[in-house]
Amino acid sequence: YYLIRSKTDTSEQYHRYLIGILSHPVIDAMVVAAGRAFRGGYIVHRKANLVGLPIPDPGNALEPISAAVTALSETTVALRNQTDQAQRRALETLLPIQRQRVHELISSVYRLNSDELAAFDL
């Protein structure tokens, strides 16, 4: 999702909120369903596939989602640059926990129930 920006809220927090939404498995499945598959199973995520995606108002969840996405991003970068094996293992353990936190926060904004999430192994 190269250079995606909101037309209504241009804050960094809102941009992180959009990143959280677009990384959620349910939302990604919606984009993939509208996309075109190429060789190797690669699905194009074009602007046309994003038009019409439901983006709910985050309300009070904006700050926690933004913080969770920031933490996940920082851990990803730290892992990419870490050479110490013990530190790498610690970051590799932390990463799925942080990813799950982002997914939970986004799921709550969309009010996804356990049955809906179970369809995506969440």
Side-chain angles (χ1 to χ4, degrees):
Y1 306 108
Y2 182 67
L3 292 176
I4 192 165
R5 296 288 182 258
S6 168
K7 291 181 179 182
T8 56
D9 187 337
T10 59
S11 70
E12 279 298 312
Q13 283 188 325
Y14 198 81
H15 289 153
R16 289 185 188 105
Y17 171 63
L18 290 176
I19 290 168
I21 285 176
L22 295 172
S23 68
H24 193 281
V26 173
I27 301 305
D28 190 57
M30 292 171 69
V31 173
V32 166
R36 179 175 167 219
F38 287 92
R39 270 187 282 167
Y42 175 74
I43 306 291
V44 176
H45 290 66
R46 293 186 176 146
K47 178 182 175 182
N49 304 58
L50 302 175
V51 173
L53 272 180
I55 308 291
D57 183 332
N60 294 334
L62 180 62
E63 189 174 325
I65 291 171
S66 175
V69 169
T70 299
L72 178 60
S73 177
E74 289 171 352
T75 300
T76 301
V77 170
L79 179 60
R80 192 176 302 140
N81 298 323
Q82 187 54 252
T83 57
D84 179 84
Q85 289 305 310
Q87 290 294 321
R88 285 189 64 80
R89 281 191 299 275
L91 292 169
E92 287 168 347
T93 300
L94 181 59
L95 202 58
I97 295 167
Q98 290 177 324
R99 187 175 294 116
Q100 183 62 32
R101 177 68 178 145
V102 171
H103 291 170
E104 288 169 357
L105 289 166
I106 296 297
S107 294
S108 70
V109 170
Y110 278 96
R111 295 186 176 114
L112 296 170
N113 65 41
S114 58
D115 292 336
E116 293 164 330
L117 294 172
F120 294 90
D121 294 325
L122 294 175

